[in-house]
Amino acid sequence: MKQKTKYTILNVLLIGTLLLNLFIFTSRMSFLPWFIEDAFGYAGILFTSPILLAIFFFFHRLQKNYKVTNLNKFIPLIATIISLIIVLMNVTDFANLIALSVNAIIFIIACGILIQHVGVNQTSSH
């Protein structure tokens, strides 16, 4: 498989996992339909964290052969660390808002990186 295809697949997987993290962190908000009481939904973070760490290691491996930026490489690691810290410490509404904010910012940055990558590939293929 070509390096660009691997890079694109990893970015799409990263965005999907970050979106899942956003849903998990919003599961504590009682006005949403997927509300789960007592933060039981945070168990999903323990599922998404290994996926994000695997994406980080694949990006690290791709960085040697392909132009993967440090920002793109460290996004999954930062998201994992922040998410695990919030889940493992005492869950408060303030901590939940911090996690939600950080994950939303990271999600927007990852989407921007993917759009930029696809745009560069579209212009270079012509």
Side-chain angles (χ1 to χ4, degrees):
M1 191 182 311
K2 292 179 2 181
Q3 298 291 341
K4 289 182 182 182
T5 307
K6 288 180 186 178
Y7 181 76
T8 305
I9 289 171
L10 283 173
N11 270 323
V12 169
L13 185 62
L14 173 65
I15 288 172
T17 309
L18 289 173
L19 187 62
L20 183 59
N21 268 359
L22 286 172
F23 276 116
I24 290 168
F25 281 115
T26 57
S27 69
R28 287 245 333 170
M29 298 180 175
S30 61
F31 57 88
L32 295 173
W34 53 87
F35 173 68
I36 299 174
E37 206 167 329
D38 297 330
F40 182 70
Y42 284 167
I45 296 295
L46 301 176
F47 171 72
T48 59
S49 293
I51 295 171
L52 287 170
L53 286 176
I55 293 170
F56 166 72
F57 288 119
F58 280 121
F59 274 145
H60 181 70
R61 212 168 141 208
L62 275 178
Q63 188 178 26
K64 296 175 184 174
N65 301 327
Y66 187 65
K67 294 181 181 177
V68 176
T69 63
N70 280 333
L71 177 66
N72 197 2
K73 182 175 84 170
F74 285 112
I75 283 176
L77 185 64
I78 293 168
T80 301
I81 291 170
I82 297 291
S83 298
L84 285 176
I85 287 172
I86 298 298
V87 169
L88 296 177
M89 68 182 241
N90 189 13
V91 179
T92 62
D93 289 338
F94 181 69
N96 190 49
L97 288 176
I98 289 174
L100 192 59
S101 301
V102 169
N103 275 318
I105 291 168
I106 290 173
F107 176 76
I108 291 168
I109 292 170
C111 286
I113 290 172
L114 179 63
I115 290 170
Q116 179 184 16
H117 172 71
V118 169
V120 167
N121 284 341
Q122 289 293 329
T123 58
S124 66
S125 65
H126 286 112

